[in-house]
Amino acid sequence: MKHIEALIADGGSISIGALDELECVAAASDAHNSLAMLVRRDGETLAALLKRLDKAVGRFYADGDVIDEVNSQSD
């Protein structure tokens, strides 16, 4: 979880929990940006979700790509 550790060391944060109608969301942000918002998949373990979040944070640091599964949800 090196990317999450670096984010937190730099004053960023992560959160995990319910969001509106979504049962479980993992989010990472720094002081200015949302870096990633991931929706927990059916059958996905919490450990697997955190691993995906770490990869998403790493992708933001490498390429500036924000992964937003929350706002891209279809109704």
Side-chain angles (χ1 to χ4, degrees):
M1 304 282 164
K2 68 180 183 177
H3 303 294
I4 290 174
E5 288 181 15
L7 172 68
I8 292 171
D10 197 35
S13 64
I14 65 167
S15 63
I16 300 172
L19 178 65
D20 298 329
E21 74 281 351
L22 299 172
E23 191 173 307
C24 187
V25 171
S29 61
D30 63 15
H32 307 286
N33 302 299
S34 176
L35 282 56
M37 294 189 298
L38 306 179
V39 177
R40 190 175 185 182
R41 299 171 179 160
D42 288 339
E44 184 174 36
T45 65
L46 187 55
L49 177 61
L50 284 171
K51 190 173 186 176
R52 279 200 310 127
L53 185 64
D54 189 65
K55 286 182 180 182
V57 171
R59 185 171 165 181
F60 178 84
Y61 285 149
D63 303 325
D65 292 339
V66 174
I67 299 175
D68 183 352
E69 297 176 353
V70 171
N71 294 305
S72 64
Q73 292 283 307
S74 299
D75 290 329

